[in-house]
Amino acid sequence: MTSNNLTFLRQTLAQHHHRVLVILSGQTHWQSAQLEDLWTPVETVLSIGSKKDRFSPQELNTSIETLDRRQLIHYLGQELDGVILDASEGLSANTLGIAAGMVKGGGLFVLLTPDIEDWRTRPNPDNARFLNSPFGIEQAHPYFIDHLIQQWQAPHQQVLWLTDTDADASLKIESFTQRLVEQATTTSSPKADLPTQDQQQVIEAIHSVAFGHRKRPLVLSADRGRGKSSALGLAAIQCLLDGKKDIVLTASRLDQTKIVFEHAIKATIKASETLDIQIETKQPGLVSFHFQNQLKTFKFIAPDQLVIDPTLADVLMVDEAAHLPTPLLTQLLHRHHRMVFATTLHGYEGSGRGFELRFKKTLNRFTPDWKNLHLKQPIRWAENDPLETAINQALFLTPNQLESNLLTELVPFNKENLTLQEESINDLANDSKLLHSVFELLVQAHYQTSPNDLQQLLSAPNLKIITAKQDHLLLGVVLCIEEGKIMPTATRVHGHLVPQVLCKNYASGDFSMLSTWRVMRIAVHPEYQQQGVGKKLLKTLKEIARQARIDYLSSSFGASNELLPFWFNQGYTPLHVGVKRDKASGSHNVVVGLPLSAMAQQALACIQRVFQEQFPHTVIESLHFVPAQRILSVLKTFRFKTQKPQLEAAAIAYKSQQRQYESISGLLWEWSIRNPRILSQASKHQQAVWGDKVLKKQSWQDVAHHNHLPGRKGVEKVMQEMLTEILPDSRKTIPQRIFQSGLNRP
C-alpha cells in the first residue's frame, strides 16, 4: 500500500515537475519493499553507497546502477529519474549536494537511514577524513547528523520522512502529497527547447563580450539546474559561426566542463544541417570545424597552463570561477581582454557567494565597465522545488535571514569593543545562528569552502575555533586542527599535515612528537578587513595555545602576494615550499611556523636553516613559474651572520657594464639571495626579469620570451636599468679592490 502511495506521489511530482526528498528510516527489508515498482522499466536510477546486491533491476523493475560514493564526482551532469543514497555506511555533505543535483524534475531522492535514534549515535565513516591519528570515527561528534535530522523534521520543510514504525504510512504520504499540491507554483513542466529566454540573454551578453568593446567582462551566475553550462556551450559555437576563430574554456577540472562541450557539440551538429560546416573534432575538451575557409576551435585549457602561457584566443570563458582563487582570476583578467566568468552560486564545491564578494572588488578596480547577469529560471525542475530547498537549507547553500544579519547590520568598527574567545563544537551545535555565521564567513574567505566544511565543523573532535565579535556580530574566525604528538615509530599515520611534511623534508622523526595547532582557515568579514581583526585573532590563538602548552603554531596555504606578507608580519617563518603546483590555482603550498616552547624554538630554527640553504636551489630546479615577488617575500625572512661587500661590488660592476654577466653570475645570484628588500624596490616587470635570469637561471631566450623582450640585449638592458634605480649612488664608491678580492677569494 505504501509503494502505491509513493507511486501516486511520483505522479504528482511529474505533473508539477518537482522533486522531493524521501527519507526511509528502518530495517533494510522494509526499505526495499517501499521501493518496489516505484520506477518504470524505462527510467534510470542510481544507487549510491549500497552493496551491489542490495537492489536488483528485477526488484525495482527499472535500470539501476550501484556506485561507490567516492566515484560520484565523475558522474556530474547526469540527469536521473531517481537516486537512492544509503546512509547506513556513512554520509558526507558533499555527496548529498552532488546526488540531489542529479535528480531531474518529477524524480525522487531517496535517503535510506537506520532507525533515527540509531542513526544519531552510530559512528559516521565519512567523518574519518577530518580525523588525525589516533582519533577514530567513534570519537567524532554526532552533531552533523543531528543537524540534518533537525532541519528535515522542521514543520516548514517539504520532506517526506517515513519510518518502519509509522502506524499509517499511507495516510502520511497522502497528506504530504496534498500539501505539495497546494503549495506548488506551477502545473506544467518548465522544460523547453534550449535556449530558454534566460539563456538567450546570456548568449547575447557573451556575444557582446566577443564582438563589443574590450575590457568589459561578463560575470554570469546561477543556481544549479539553471542551464548555465549549456548556455556557455551554445554561446561559444554561435560566436565562432559569427566570425570568431578561437574560444577557450577553463575550469579547475576538465570533467566540470562536460555539459558545456556536450551542448557545444550538439549546437555544431545542428548548425551543420543548414550551413557548410565540416566537423573536425567533437569530444570533451575540443570542438573544431571548418567554416568559411577557416578552422574554428572551442577548446579547454587548464588554468595553471594559462598562467604560464596566456592564450591568444578571441574569448576566454571561466566556468565554475568560484572554484578558483581570486589571485588566479585576477591574473587571467589582466592577461585577456575578452572574458566571461561563470559560477554556480550554491554549489556542492566552492562558493559563488564568496566569489561574488571577493572578485567584484577586483572587477570594479580594473574593469569598471564589467557586466553582471544572473540566470533564475530552472530548466531541470520547477521553481520552488522541495528537494532543492531541503538540501540548500540543510547545507547552508542559500542566503537567509542569518546571512542578511551578517551583511546589513553593520556597526562602526571599534577595536576596543572587540571580544575574542574560543568556541566549543557544543556551542556551534546548540547555536544555529553562530554556526551559520561561522560557515558564512568561511564561504566568503576561501574559494573552495564546501558543504563538507560544515560537516567538519560539527564533527571533528580535534578542531579549535576562535571568534572575534563586536556587539554580538561575528567579524572573524580562525579554525585550527590539532597535530603532532606522534611517536617516531608510528606507522600509517593519518593527517598531521605539517609534522609529516617537515619530518619528510627537513627534520628528524623526533620532531613529530612536538604538538602544533595548524591554522586551517582564517576569515574576516569583508566590511571589517584591513582593521587588524585577523592579527588579533592570531594573537589570541597564540595566547590560548601557550596556556594549553602547545609547542608551535603552523599553517599551510597556497602562496599569494597578499598572504605571504600577512603571515610573515605576524612572526611566522617559512619552513617549506611545495614543488608541485595546484592545478587549479597554479600556486605552490607554503608551510609556516611560529614556536611557542623552547624545544620548538630550537627545532624550528634547525628546520629554517636547512630550508634557507635549500630554497634558492629549489627555486632554480622546481619553482620555474613562481612570481619573483613571492620568492622575494620568502627570501626577506632569511638571516645571514656575515656581510659580503664584494657581492654588492659585483652588482655595481654589472650595472656599469664593467663585467660580463657570465663572469659574475654566481656573485649576482648570492647578492640577490641576501638582498631581497633592495630588489623589492624594483618594478614588478624588473623583478620578473631579474628573477627569471638570476634567481631561476633560465636561458636568455626563455627570459626574453616570458617577459616579451627582444633577446638577450633587451633582458640585460632591463636588469642594468633596475640596478641603476635601486642601488644608491653612494654605493658606487665601493673600491674596486673589494670587488677584486671577492673574485680572488677561494
Side-chain angles (χ1 to χ4, degrees), residues 291-547:
F291 179 59
Q292 295 181 343
N293 298 320
Q294 286 185 330
L295 177 63
K296 310 279 188 172
T297 61
F298 177 43
K299 60 188 175 186
F300 174 86
I301 299 179
D304 61 329
Q305 186 61 39
L306 287 173
V307 171
I308 298 167
D309 188 15
T311 178
L312 298 177
D314 298 309
V315 180
L316 174 61
M317 297 177 171
V318 184
D319 196 16
E320 298 304 347
H323 297 187
L324 301 176
T326 301
L328 173 60
L329 296 173
T330 304
Q331 280 186 286
L332 296 178
L333 183 67
H334 284 320
R335 299 184 181 198
H336 304 90
H337 300 302
R338 300 182 185 276
M339 294 198 65
V340 177
F341 298 94
T343 193
T344 305
L345 286 184
H346 311 134
Y348 60 91
E349 175 184 42
S351 169
R353 287 174 289 154
F355 161 79
E356 285 195 315
L357 288 165
R358 294 188 305 273
F359 193 54
K360 282 183 177 179
K361 293 180 180 178
T362 301
L363 291 169
N364 288 335
R365 179 180 176 187
F366 296 110
T367 53
D369 294 322
W370 66 280
K371 307 297 181 184
N372 191 21
L373 198 58
H374 180 66
L375 275 167
K376 298 179 181 178
Q377 180 184 351
I379 63 172
R380 285 194 278 167
W381 49 78
E383 292 183 7
N384 301 320
D385 176 68
L387 175 58
E388 184 177 49
T389 301
I391 296 296
N392 285 351
Q393 289 187 359
L395 301 181
F396 294 162
L397 295 176
T398 51
N400 69 359
Q401 187 175 359
L402 278 169
E403 181 186 5
S404 66
N405 285 345
L406 277 174
L407 298 177
T408 60
E409 292 186 10
L410 302 178
V411 295
F413 179 69
N414 181 2
K415 64 180 180 180
E416 304 300 328
N417 198 25
L418 202 61
T419 303
L420 296 108
Q421 65 186 53
E422 182 176 1
E423 310 280 357
S424 70
I425 295 183
N426 289 340
D427 295 333
L428 290 182
N430 295 319
D431 187 342
S432 60
K433 182 172 183 178
L434 177 62
L435 174 63
H436 200 139
S437 299
V438 167
F439 186 69
E440 190 62 34
L441 277 187
L442 297 178
V443 164
Q444 296 170 8
H446 199 269
Y447 63 97
Q448 286 183 331
T449 298
S450 73
N452 271 357
D453 291 290
L454 174 63
Q455 183 175 349
Q456 183 174 18
L457 277 174
L458 292 171
S459 305
N462 52 339
L463 195 66
K464 297 290 179 182
I465 306 163
I466 313 293
T467 59
K469 301 175 186 174
Q470 179 179 310
D471 298 331
H472 305 291
L473 176 70
L474 184 68
L475 302 190
V477 63
V478 165
L479 299 187
C480 299
I481 293 289
E482 296 177 352
E483 295 185 343
K485 295 185 178 179
I486 313 168
M487 294 301 294
T489 56
T491 58
R492 296 187 179 181
V493 175
H494 183 261
H496 300 278
L497 171 65
V498 167
Q500 294 211 75
V501 165
L502 296 182
C503 284
K504 181 180 179 181
N505 292 280
Y506 311 101
S508 66
D510 292 344
F511 175 77
S512 63
M513 298 176 66
L514 297 179
S515 60
T516 183
W517 286 356
R518 173 171 62 87
V519 177
M520 185 178 68
R521 298 281 173 82
I522 179 168
V524 176
H525 192 294
E527 297 295 333
Y528 297 94
Q529 291 175 0
Q530 307 300 321
Q531 304 281 353
V533 177
K535 182 178 179 180
K536 285 182 174 292
L537 280 166
L538 289 182
K539 182 180 179 181
T540 302
L541 172 65
K542 184 166 75 170
E543 294 169 354
I544 295 174
R546 282 190 188 278
Q547 294 171 5

Side-chain angles (χ1 to χ4, degrees), residues 153-174:
Q153 289 191 335
H156 67 277
Q157 284 283 14
Q158 288 181 297
V159 174
L160 178 59
W161 197 315
L162 302 176
T163 71
D164 57 4
T165 58
D166 284 331
D168 195 342
S170 298
L171 184 61
K172 193 173 185 179
I173 298 171
E174 185 178 336

Side-chain angles (χ1 to χ4, degrees), residues 55-188:
F55 304 107
S56 67
Q58 294 76 23
E59 185 180 24
L60 296 187
N61 193 32
T62 190
S63 172
I64 184 168
E65 181 179 0
T66 302
L67 187 70
D68 186 289
R69 57 176 56 85
R70 291 170 296 184
Q71 300 173 304
L72 185 60
I73 196 166
H74 302 297
Y75 283 66
L76 286 171
Q78 287 199 19
E79 294 189 19
L80 304 167
D81 299 288
V83 168
I84 304 170
L85 178 56
D86 191 345
S88 62
E89 298 300 325
L91 182 67
S92 80
N94 277 8
T95 297
L96 275 174
I98 297 171
M102 298 169 70
V103 181
K104 63 185 180 182
L108 282 184
F109 182 31
V110 180
L111 182 64
L112 307 179
T113 80
D115 173 83
I116 296 178
E117 292 309 313
D118 180 20
W119 194 30
R120 286 184 192 272
T121 57
R122 180 181 296 194
N124 182 359
D126 272 286
N127 285 334
R129 74 186 72 214
F130 311 127
L131 306 176
N132 293 338
S133 302
F135 285 108
I137 58 172
E138 296 80 8
Q139 293 162 287
H141 296 293
Y143 298 131
F144 176 63
I145 299 301
D146 279 346
H147 170 75
L148 295 180
I149 292 172
Q150 181 181 356
Q151 286 285 320
W152 290 334
Q153 289 191 335
H156 67 277
Q157 284 283 14
Q158 288 181 297
V159 174
L160 178 59
W161 197 315
L162 302 176
T163 71
D164 57 4
T165 58
D166 284 331
D168 195 342
S170 298
L171 184 61
K172 193 173 185 179
I173 298 171
E174 185 178 336
S175 174
F176 177 85
T177 306
Q178 182 60 38
R179 202 162 64 248
L180 191 69
V181 171
E182 292 172 357
Q183 297 179 13
T185 58
T186 179
T187 57
S188 61

Side-chain angles (χ1 to χ4, degrees), residues 571-607:
Y572 289 74
T573 56
L575 304 171
H576 173 72
V577 175
V579 297
K580 292 184 178 179
R581 286 181 299 139
D582 181 272
K583 289 186 177 180
S585 67
S587 64
H588 294 252
N589 271 3
V590 175
V591 174
V592 297
L594 177 70
L596 301 179
S597 70
M599 284 193 299
Q601 188 168 17
Q602 184 178 1
L604 292 185
C606 291
I607 291 173

Side-chain angles (χ1 to χ4, degrees), residues 237-272:
I237 300 305
Q238 187 62 56
C239 289
L240 292 176
L241 293 175
D242 288 345
K244 296 301 177 183
K245 291 179 60 179
D246 188 19
I247 296 178
V248 167
L249 176 72
T250 193
S252 62
R253 299 189 313 271
L254 175 60
D255 58 18
Q256 285 183 324
T257 66
K258 178 181 177 183
I259 300 298
V260 181
F261 282 100
E262 281 183 0
H263 284 274
I265 291 170
K266 290 178 182 177
T268 305
I269 294 173
K270 184 176 181 180
S272 67

Side-chain angles (χ1 to χ4, degrees), residues 632-679:
L632 295 176
S633 290
V634 174
L635 293 177
K636 286 178 186 177
T637 66
F638 289 3
R639 298 291 180 266
F640 298 94
K641 294 181 179 179
T642 60
Q643 297 295 326
K644 293 186 177 181
Q646 68 271 20
L647 299 179
E648 188 174 297
I652 293 172
Y654 180 66
K655 176 194 70 173
S656 59
Q657 302 182 33
Q658 295 176 13
R659 286 287 188 270
Q660 188 176 0
Y661 176 81
E662 283 74 9
S663 69
I664 54 172
S665 60
L667 296 173
L668 293 177
W669 175 80
E670 189 174 355
W671 176 81
S672 303
I673 301 300
R674 289 169 169 264
N675 292 279
R677 297 184 186 280
I678 295 177
L679 287 170

